[in-house]
Each structure stands twice: as structure tokens, then as C-alpha cells.
Amino acid sequence: MRTKRLFTLPLLGVLAACSQMPESQSTRDFSPAPSGDEMNRVSPAFAHYTEDMVIGDLWHRAGLDPRDRSIVTLSALITQQQVAELRYHFNLALDNSVAPNELSEIITHLAFYTGWGNATAAVTLLDDVFSARGIDNSSSPAIPTQRLPLDEEAEAKRQQFVAERFADVAPGVVEYTTDALFLDLWLRPGLAARDRSLVTVSALVAAGQPEQVTFHLNRAMDNGLSKTEASETLTQLAFYAGWPKVFSAMPVFKSVFESRGLIES
């Protein structure tokens, strides 16, 4: 195991601060994170692994920078409705150079991929963080004036593939998949295409939906995600989504790596 280094925001100290929210916030239906004393009283072993393995080691591994680790972690937490750590990780993401508008775009993106209710809960907590830090993101355009470039050939193939298989099953889903997701959401400039892919892949693994990973992992790698970064994303998710979900996704990752000639079959 690597030598431990001090984390940007020591977890137990931040958790203690989060547990002392103003009265206006404490009335919301979100339990505050436990303090360091509470963690030690309930489970010294959990406190030990949190400090020494997760904070002291995982977050300092090579292969995925702190900004990306924050994006992966927030995607997993929002997907799984694990609200206890969200305020901490929103703050950490800002300290790790994830811009306020990028956090807003991550929530917007996850609304489509994990459900509107998950995004609504995340908005409430991010509002707490923005308020505490004096951030106002209301001037960010709801409808951008410019879009990211569209790969028209790839999109035409995707539309044909989906329409041939599912147009008779749920034409509304097929329509919104094209109009709302791939011709709108994915082209929003507030989050780079590579980062949208990272959010999506992380959410799919955290949701236990490996059957959707092949398309989106290939798209992520087309958008600039390296094999090393993809592999390390799984390592991060093992702690924040759980080992079973990661092991269910690993055969899919392996298949994608093999198909791209990145590992031997």
C-alpha cells in the first residue's frame, strides 16, 4: 500500500461540519453525515478503512486525477441516492476543479440516466453547498446558444439501430432518445463529451446495468477516455458502488478493451 498523504479535505472533519447544518437545512429530509466521533463509536473498523484506505490511499492512486475521481464518485452517489456524503463530495469536487456549472450539468445528465427524483434530491443538496460558498449558478443558460459538434454518421447509425429494434415497442422512448438525449443533452457545451461519458459509464456501473456499458464505454473511449482511466474508474467505483456491481461490469470492460486491441483476448 502506498504511503498515506493528507487529503485536501480530511473526511472526518468535514463530516463533522456537515452534521452541524443550519436549522433551515436540518428540516430537510436528508440525514446529516456522521461525525468522526460517531463513526468511531459505531464502527472503529469502518472509520479506519475510511481514513486509511479510501482517503489515505484510493484518492491518491495514479491513473485517474482527483477531478475525475470526484466526477465518478458523485455519479455513483447520485445514482444510488446515497445522500449522506453528497454535501462533502460536492465541496470536494469544487476543490478538485470541477466548476459549479459542470456540477449542474452532471445533475442534469443524471436526471436522464438515473431518474428525475435522483437529480431533484441532488439539486437540494448542491443548493446548500452553493449557498454556503456564495455561488449563484442561475445565470447559466438553460438552453445554450451553441452546441458541441455532432458526429452525424455515428448518430445516423445509432438512430437506425434503435428504430429498427424498438420503434414498434415504444415510439415515444425512441423519439425522446434522439431528440432529448443525443441531439440535445449530449451536445450541451457545459460538460465536455469525455466527461459526460465518464458520468454515464459510472452511473451505469453504479446502477448495476452492465448491459448498457458496452455502447457507452466505447463512446467514452472515442471521446478521449484512456484504458488506464477506464480501469481506474472501476477501482474507484468498487468503493462507492460496491464490489459486486464492479465485478458484474468487469467482463464488459474486458470485452471492450479486447475489441479495441488494448488487451489480448
Side-chain angles (χ1 to χ4, degrees):
M1 184 173 289
R2 281 161 294 282
T3 303
K4 289 195 299 179
R5 286 173 282 177
L6 292 177
F7 202 52
T8 307
L9 291 175
L11 177 62
L12 297 184
V14 175
L15 293 180
C18 288
S19 68
Q20 300 173 357
M21 303 301 295
E23 183 178 352
S24 62
Q25 296 174 15
S26 66
T27 59
R28 292 179 174 169
D29 294 330
F30 300 108
S31 300
S35 68
D37 288 342
E38 289 170 332
M39 289 179 70
N40 277 298
R41 280 198 302 271
V42 172
S43 179
F46 176 58
H48 155 68
Y49 285 122
T50 299
E51 281 287 337
D52 292 356
M53 186 172 292
V54 177
I55 301 305
D57 190 61
L58 175 69
W59 278 82
H60 300 290
R61 287 175 56 88
L64 203 62
D65 66 28
R67 180 182 180 277
D68 286 343
R69 289 190 187 275
S70 280
I71 290 173
V72 170
T73 303
L74 283 172
S75 300
L77 294 176
I78 293 170
T79 297
Q80 300 172 118
Q81 300 184 26
Q82 295 180 354
V83 298
E85 289 196 2
L86 269 181
R87 288 190 187 94
Y88 166 71
H89 279 288
F90 279 137
N91 273 298
L92 182 59
L94 288 166
D95 290 343
N96 283 338
S97 300
V98 182
N101 189 57
E102 290 176 323
L103 291 178
S104 301
E105 287 291 329
I106 288 170
I107 290 174
T108 303
H109 193 85
L110 289 172
F112 288 87
Y113 281 90
T114 72
W116 237 249
N118 289 357
T120 301
V123 163
T124 303
L125 293 174
L126 185 56
D127 179 58
D128 294 341
V129 173
F130 279 0
S131 296
R133 297 175 76 123
I135 296 172
D136 184 350
N137 197 50
S138 61
S139 63
S140 177
I143 302 175
T145 56
Q146 293 184 326
R147 305 278 177 170
L148 297 176
L150 173 68
D151 185 333
E152 294 184 3
E153 181 179 357
E155 174 55 18
K157 290 179 179 178
R158 187 207 61 77
Q159 288 184 29
Q160 181 180 3
F161 176 87
V162 173
E164 287 176 351
R165 285 156 179 78
F166 304 118
D168 294 336
V169 177
V173 174
V174 172
E175 178 184 348
Y176 280 121
T177 300
T178 295
D179 295 343
L181 269 68
F182 288 97
L183 296 184
D184 187 356
L185 180 70
W186 276 89
L187 302 182
R188 291 179 62 85
L191 196 63
R194 181 258 191 200
D195 293 344
R196 283 195 188 275
S197 286
L198 183 60
V199 169
T200 308
V201 170
S202 300
L204 292 173
V205 175
Q209 296 180 338
E211 65 277 4
Q212 298 291 318
V213 168
T214 299
F215 172 81
H216 282 288
L217 180 57
N218 271 304
R219 186 182 181 94
M221 301 187 85
D222 289 343
N223 286 336
L225 190 73
S226 70
K227 177 201 177 279
T228 298
E229 291 168 335
S231 299
E232 197 61 27
T233 294
L234 283 176
T235 305
Q236 186 80 5
L237 287 169
F239 287 87
Y240 287 96
W243 256 254
K245 290 177 179 176
V246 165
F247 264 89
S248 293
M250 281 206 287
V252 181
F253 275 64
K254 181 180 180 182
S255 177
V256 170
F257 292 163
E258 288 174 347
S259 71
R260 300 176 76 97
L262 301 175
I263 60 174
E264 294 183 2
S265 58

